[in-house]
Amino acid sequence: YVDNAKPVKKRRRRKRKKINRTTSHRHQRTLIKGTLPKVEDLSMENMSRTVVNLTDKELSKEQLYVFFLSHKFAPTPPLPDLSRFENDLCRWFSKMRAKVVFDSFKCGPNKADKRVTDMERCLIKTDASRTFESCKNPALEAFIKCCRAEVDLHRPTQKFVSPDNIAAPIRAALKEVKGWKDIVIRPFDKGVGFFLLSEEDYIQRIGVHLNDRSVYSIVNNVDDLVVELIDKISNWTIEFKDELGMSKKIKEWVIPCTELNQPGNMYLNPKAHKPPLYPGRMITTGCGSYIENLSALTAYELKKATLNYRIIDTPHFLRKIDSLNESSILLGNEVIHVAIDISNMFTNIPRDMGIRQCTKHLNKRSSGDQLFSTECIISALEITLDYNIASFNGITYRQERGAAMGPKNSCEYADCAMDKIDILVNEGDLEYGPPHRPAFWGRLRDDIYMAWPGTVEELLQFMEWLNSIHPNLLFTYDYSRDGVEFLDTYVYAVGDVVHTKLYSKPSDTHCYLIPTSCHRNHVVKNIPFGVARRVRQNNSEDTNFLEQREVYTRYLLARGYHSSFKEDAFKRFSNIANRKNLYTLKDKDESTACLIPMVMDQNPALPNMGGIIHKYKHLLNLDPALKKLVRADSVFVSHRKNQTIGGMLVHNKYRASGTVSSDRDGGATASQFLEPDAAILPAVREADNAGCHACGKCYVCKQSFLSPCSKFSSHHSKQVFPITKYITCQSNNLIYLMECRTCKQSYVGYTTSNLPKRFSNHKSHIKKGIRSCKLVNHFLDIDHDLDFSSVALYNSSLSTHLSVIIVDALEFKPEISKVDREKAMEARDGFYQTQL
């Protein structure tokens, strides 16, 4: 009896320790996630700070709370797509195997080839077409086998899904806001918040910019212009085919495709910091445009330019201020602080000055950096400037002057062009240079800070000279001996020493991410530390740091962060002896080039891949050769973000009210096509407005061929399936179900275009007797009394027998080829045929 007592006590102790660890983990997670501010605890005034309502619509308290959550808040998602996770997992396994296979059989280092390969890896964001099912390294295969076994033990079910992080009334209000058709929702140009604009107001604000014919011209024949652009780029690749960087991949990548690319998109973000008119910033997106890849290539080369007077970010500006104080230039001088802004800089950049400056900086590249000649890059740059086309509200425009905000090379081009002004101010000769020089000049894009050691009269003479450099460039300025705002700092002087303190615009809402958002714990936990670091970094004097620590502490508490994390964050940075260590430039870690992340969706229902990798990554160290190729610390998990409030409400592509499109649904946008062998999982919370919807304009909808619904069923198995996406007849890449009401027969088909185009083919084949598919064969083999005497009678008679439901829509990355799209659509079509 005594011998049997000891093991019993040990088992009880082990069980008690395990319970304590679990309780501690839950308590830690509760501290990290904080508390979600409740609607009843917030005033209307407090929630209204995050939205500027310029319409006549009155918002309820629940709708205001939706905007209070801010654009980065991610509601809890439904169950994930298992096939997408499986695809991500296999791709990660293949990357590790490819790393071992290719790096183990290198014949010798070729620096030129390595530079080209690094450029291709940086620019071309496509998955490797070749997959590796295995490699000859037993340690890596053991690691992959253990990870695979752990994943197979996990099956997503209802118990893995976290509780909804927003209440049912708020989710209903979110659905209402998403359903607004006559209101345009735009984000603040600077800061966190939303503008509510009527359609007429939004169109009028954009029209102020587009009606300037010196900047924008209307394109009447878009197809001819696109063909001309493609010929230009093709001829450019042929002319410079002997360039070192002109590899086969680069040639194929820069030439646009008419099926995958389209004109850019124009949108406007109002400036909340400039009431009451709230002027807008015009932006032309380059994503998916015809010049997207070519502009990325030119940006890659222009980034190699050395610009001495350019400010990169706030830490860089603080390092420049420290250098100014150490130089003793301001000794014995009373400083006048000047903040300068270049009005509409991008559209007003002189073309000749921009090309000349880019040529100058490209010629200064070292021989080791020159993958392309200067002539080659300048020629490509001119193409991107000449053919910058974008559309708004169905009209395509071409920018005739300056550069657009949005293409990938716009910032680099603007920096190189405006470097001419920087050099004239600081290094120009007495004949053409300024009458007086500043003690400090720093420029970040169109914002400039200048420390002026002279008198006010000399400053005014300098500004007059600055505005005389070019008639297109207008420099507005504000000056004071007390201090001025620049970036997120307020710059002032005490004696002859320049100081900074943290500054935020009056329109800044300080809407930090609410901790209950569906983000990883480390993301939420790092936000208080990021705020505390910024407060300590930007305040050069301790008195300002202590004052603003209390202010920003209240901001964090108002967003639901636990006081313990806030105190730990500020305590950590309060004890730093040397503030300069926070923004001192650190050497880059070259080992980051060997990282092999496992990219997957962020969803509580998926396996904990971070824990699985940590559990078995010691296996990678068993082989000394593998340890050099795939380090244990180079494999980790990187999560795609879930769809946020901003992604649901803000849509850059304007559509008139009544027009619907597939990107207005609440589901997350797929970054790759979905694999066809995915099982249809019941969604815990389906996308709002999910289902098959009619546009009401095409003949398919008007003749009642399309049956709007949220579910569909099988005539054979009687099983009912939900439609989990917002789909319309105008969406592309569709899977549809056609049913003969008379015979109770169903047919599953797919199309890469929209439904009206595909439906027209079916109608034509039935009328002409072309046996192209099972549906046509059914109507040809069985008499349905169709009247072919006229189009109207044919549509009327056919609609009494035939109905169509759109059951699914696939989304693809722009770089996915048409052949791969067809394969994916065909495979998904086969999957639905087996189900129905």
Side-chain angles (χ1 to χ4, degrees):
Y1 175 79
V2 175
D3 293 338
N4 293 334
K6 291 182 180 179
V8 173
K9 289 183 179 180
K10 281 188 176 181
R11 283 198 296 270
R12 287 177 179 172
R13 279 199 299 270
R14 284 197 295 269
K15 187 175 182 180
R16 187 158 52 246
K17 288 180 181 179
K18 183 177 181 180
I19 292 174
N20 290 339
R21 286 197 300 269
T22 305
T23 305
S24 175
H25 172 73
R26 288 176 179 172
H27 177 65
Q28 183 79 356
R29 180 176 175 84
T30 303
L31 292 180
I32 295 173
K33 285 300 183 182
T35 56
L36 179 67
K38 298 181 179 180
V39 182
E40 52 270 17
D41 297 337
L42 299 171
S43 63
M44 296 286 285
E45 181 182 359
N46 189 15
M47 291 188 291
S48 299
R49 293 174 58 247
T50 58
V51 58
V52 178
N53 188 1
L54 301 181
T55 67
D56 298 331
K57 192 175 188 65
E58 294 185 3
L59 304 182
S60 65
K61 199 169 184 178
E62 289 76 15
Q63 291 172 342
L64 280 176
Y65 187 80
V66 170
F67 296 107
F68 170 79
L69 292 175
S70 81
H71 67 292
K72 292 294 185 182
F73 184 88
T76 305
L79 282 174
D81 188 343
L82 286 182
S83 64
R84 188 180 187 190
F85 170 73
E86 180 67 22
N87 192 26
D88 294 335
L89 189 65
C90 293
R91 189 182 300 115
W92 180 57
F93 290 158
S94 183
K95 284 182 180 178
M96 290 189 289
R97 288 166 173 152
K99 178 72 175 174
V100 173
V101 171
F102 287 124
D103 288 10
S104 299
F105 295 97
K106 280 185 176 179
C107 299
N110 189 327
K111 294 184 178 180
D113 292 344
K114 184 179 185 304
R115 295 203 311 268
V116 175
T117 303
D118 291 342
M119 178 187 64
E120 293 175 348
R121 187 183 296 114
C122 178
L123 294 177
I124 306 176
K125 307 295 183 181
T126 56
D127 297 322
S129 57
R130 181 179 177 183
T131 58
F132 292 84
E133 299 297 334
S134 64
C135 68
K136 296 182 179 180
N137 190 288
L140 179 59
E141 291 301 322
F143 172 74
I144 292 176
K145 184 177 180 181
C146 292
C147 291
R148 166 62 72 183
E150 287 279 350
V151 170
D152 291 342
L153 293 176
H154 184 95
R155 287 291 179 268
T157 58
Q158 186 80 15
K159 69 177 183 178
F160 288 101
V161 181
S162 299
D164 200 350
N165 56 2
I166 55 177
I170 308 303
R171 190 169 282 276
L174 175 60
K175 183 177 180 179
E176 294 174 0
V177 175
K178 289 169 59 178
W180 291 346
K181 302 299 183 183
D182 56 344
I183 294 179
V184 179
I185 304 176
R186 299 304 309 159
F188 287 1
D189 178 61
K190 294 180 181 178
V192 179
F194 299 90
F195 274 92
L196 303 186
L197 306 168
S198 64
E199 287 187 316
E200 296 78 8
D201 188 15
Y202 184 64
I203 294 175
Q204 184 178 4
R205 288 171 180 268
I206 289 190
V208 172
H209 299 268
L210 295 182
N211 291 334
D212 186 354
R213 288 293 169 260
S214 64
V215 180
Y216 300 102
S217 63
I218 298 178
V219 179
N220 295 320
N221 197 328
V222 180
D223 294 338
D224 291 347
L225 185 62
V226 170
V227 171
E228 180 183 336
L229 169 60
I230 295 176
D231 290 341
K232 281 270 187 181
I233 299 178
S234 300
N235 293 334
W236 175 80
T237 60
I238 296 173
E239 181 181 357
F240 299 99
K241 62 181 180 180
D242 296 329
E243 298 286 333
L244 179 61
M246 193 67 73
S247 63
K248 182 180 179 180
K249 285 186 178 180
I250 292 295
K251 289 180 182 178
E252 297 174 351
W253 176 69
V254 297
I255 299 176
C257 176
T258 55
E259 297 179 355
L260 300 180
N261 299 104
Q262 57 186 355
N265 176 47
M266 293 177 170
Y267 59 92
L268 180 140
N269 291 337
K271 300 178 181 180
H273 57 284
K274 293 185 179 181
L277 298 179
Y278 302 111
R281 186 184 301 276
M282 190 74 174
I283 300 175
T284 302
T285 178
C287 298
S289 66
Y290 297 106
I291 62 170
E292 177 187 12
N293 295 341
L294 191 61
S295 64
L297 180 64
T298 57
Y300 182 83
E301 290 297 311
L302 289 175
K303 285 179 181 178
K304 300 174 182 178
T306 302
L307 308 176
N308 296 326
Y309 302 101
R310 176 182 59 177
I311 301 295
I312 300 175
D313 50 20
T314 299
H316 186 210
F317 174 66
L318 296 177
R319 294 195 296 271
K320 291 265 190 180
I321 293 297
D322 289 343
S323 300
L324 173 65
N325 291 329
E326 294 170 359
S327 65
S328 304
I329 296 176
L330 300 177
L331 282 177
N333 294 318
E334 186 177 359
V335 181
I336 300 177
H337 306 278
V338 187
I340 304 175
D341 180 73
I342 309 175
S343 298
N344 299 324
M345 182 191 70
F346 282 87
T347 55
N348 289 318
I349 295 175
R351 175 74 171 270
D352 55 346
M353 186 177 78
I355 296 297
R356 189 165 54 249
Q357 287 299 114
C358 290
T359 303
K360 172 185 173 182
H361 289 292
L362 289 172
N363 287 332
K364 291 182 178 179
R365 293 173 297 166
S366 63
S367 58
D369 287 338
Q370 293 190 16
L371 296 176
F372 299 91
S373 65
T374 299
E375 182 184 0
C376 175
I377 297 300
I378 292 300
S379 177
L381 179 62
E382 290 177 337
I383 293 175
T384 61
L385 294 175
D386 290 336
Y387 293 90
N388 190 2
I389 57 177
S391 61
F392 173 75
N393 200 18
I395 302 176
T396 303
Y397 298 86
R398 180 177 184 174
Q399 186 160 343
E400 304 289 349
R401 190 181 73 191
M405 291 185 62
K408 295 184 177 181
N409 63 353
S410 58
C411 291
E412 285 72 21
Y413 171 71
D415 284 341
C416 290
M418 298 310 296
D419 187 61
K420 174 68 174 179
I421 306 297
D422 302 339
I423 294 175
L424 282 176
V425 169
N426 294 277
E427 303 175 12
D429 54 32
L430 295 177
E431 183 179 356
Y432 300 102
H436 309 280
R437 297 191 191 279
F440 176 85
W441 172 280
R443 179 184 56 82
L444 193 151
R445 302 286 186 268
D446 56 349
D447 294 323
I448 302 169
Y449 168 74
M450 184 173 65
W452 188 260
T455 63
V456 175
E457 290 75 14
E458 294 173 343
L459 172 62
L460 298 179
Q461 293 177 8
F462 172 83
M463 293 307 304
E464 183 178 357
W465 168 84
L466 191 62
N467 278 299
S468 66
I469 294 177
H470 197 280
N472 288 357
L473 299 177
L474 175 62
F475 297 85
T476 60
Y477 61 98
D478 182 25
Y479 65 92
S480 173
R481 295 189 185 275
D482 297 330
V484 293
E485 303 90 8
F486 181 69
L487 304 181
D488 60 341
T489 64
Y490 183 83
V491 189
Y492 64 99
V494 178
D496 50 16
V497 178
V498 178
H499 290 275
T500 59
K501 67 178 181 180
L502 183 60
Y503 170 78
S504 61
K505 295 182 181 296
S507 60
D508 196 342
T509 57
H510 300 282
C511 286
Y512 303 110
L513 178 69
I514 289 181
T516 55
S517 175
C518 190
H519 283 75
R520 302 293 295 178
N521 286 349
H522 70 273
V523 175
V524 176
K525 187 176 179 180
N526 285 337
I527 287 179
F529 285 91
V531 172
R533 179 191 180 95
R534 182 165 163 258
V535 173
R536 186 69 187 96
Q537 168 189 277
N538 290 14
N539 288 290
S540 57
E541 293 188 305
D542 292 338
T543 55
N544 292 329
F545 168 69
L546 296 176
E547 291 176 2
Q548 294 195 349
R549 181 178 64 180
E550 300 301 323
V551 174
Y552 280 83
T553 294
R554 291 194 294 269
Y555 292 149
L556 290 170
L557 292 177
R559 299 298 290 176
Y561 285 89
H562 199 277
S563 58
S564 62
F565 280 100
K566 173 266 303 178
E567 293 171 358
D568 292 344
F570 280 99
K571 183 179 179 181
R572 171 182 172 182
F573 292 102
S574 298
N575 297 332
I576 293 179
N578 190 356
R579 159 183 159 270
K580 296 181 181 180
N581 292 333
L582 296 176
Y583 55 83
T584 301
L585 188 63
K586 298 178 175 60
D587 296 334
K588 291 184 178 180
D589 186 6
E590 298 296 335
S591 62
T592 56
C594 302
L595 299 180
I596 310 176
M598 159 67 179
V599 182
M600 58 180 289
D601 293 332
Q602 156 60 15
N603 197 303
L606 290 175
N608 180 14
M609 288 304 301
I612 294 174
I613 292 174
H614 181 74
K615 182 177 180 181
Y616 295 109
K617 67 181 182 181
H618 65 277
L619 297 175
L620 300 174
N621 296 328
L622 297 179
D623 187 346
L626 178 65
K627 188 176 180 180
K628 297 179 181 179
L629 299 176
V630 182
R631 305 190 324 272
D633 59 346
S634 67
V635 291
F636 58 94
V637 178
S638 177
H639 292 93
R640 303 184 189 96
K641 65 178 183 179
N642 290 317
Q643 188 165 23
T644 61
I645 296 290
M648 296 178 183
L649 302 182
V650 178
H651 307 283
N652 290 334
K653 189 169 185 178
Y654 169 76
R655 297 174 181 86
S657 60
T659 304
V660 292
S661 178
S662 59
D663 68 347
R664 289 192 65 88
D665 63 2
T669 301
S671 63
Q672 179 58 283
F673 58 82
L674 302 177
E675 289 297 321
D677 57 350
I680 299 179
L681 298 175
V684 179
R685 282 175 295 276
E686 297 177 4
D688 295 332
N689 293 329
C692 171
H693 297 268
C695 72
K697 296 182 178 181
C698 67
Y699 77 95
V700 177
C701 299
K702 290 181 178 180
Q703 297 292 333
S704 302
F705 287 109
L706 184 67
S707 300
C709 59
S710 60
K711 299 177 181 179
F712 62 99
S713 60
S714 170
H715 286 301
H716 307 289
S717 63
K718 307 300 181 183
Q719 187 176 358
V720 179
F721 302 92
I723 302 176
T724 58
K725 298 179 180 179
Y726 185 101
I727 314 173
T728 74
C729 56
Q730 300 300 326
S731 304
N732 294 325
N733 306 317
L734 302 176
I735 307 293
Y736 55 87
L737 173 66
M738 287 192 175
E739 295 182 342
C740 178
R741 300 188 182 101
T742 307
C743 305
K744 303 298 180 182
Q745 296 288 329
S746 60
Y747 165 80
V748 179
Y750 71 94
T751 176
T752 56
S753 61
N754 56 32
L755 184 63
K757 292 182 180 180
R758 182 59 173 162
F759 199 82
S760 297
N761 293 334
H762 286 305
K763 283 178 51 186
S764 176
H765 293 172
I766 293 174
K767 186 176 181 179
K768 296 179 180 180
I770 302 174
R771 294 180 176 272
S772 57
C773 62
K774 293 181 180 179
L775 174 71
V776 177
N777 293 339
H778 172 75
F779 276 87
L780 295 179
D781 295 336
I782 301 175
D783 186 15
H784 288 77
D785 294 328
L786 300 179
D787 190 350
F788 300 104
S789 59
S790 67
V791 176
L793 293 176
Y794 177 38
N795 288 336
S796 177
S797 61
L798 184 61
S799 63
T800 60
H801 303 285
L802 186 61
S803 66
V804 58
I805 300 173
I806 306 174
V807 300
D808 201 357
L810 275 67
E811 296 178 6
F812 300 89
K813 274 186 173 180
E815 58 264 26
I816 301 301
S817 65
K818 185 177 180 180
V819 176
D820 291 335
R821 294 188 182 204
E822 289 282 350
K823 290 181 180 179
M825 296 293 296
E826 185 178 359
R828 178 57 65 90
D829 173 71
F831 164 74
Y832 276 101
Q833 288 185 13
T834 59
Q835 297 291 322
L836 301 174

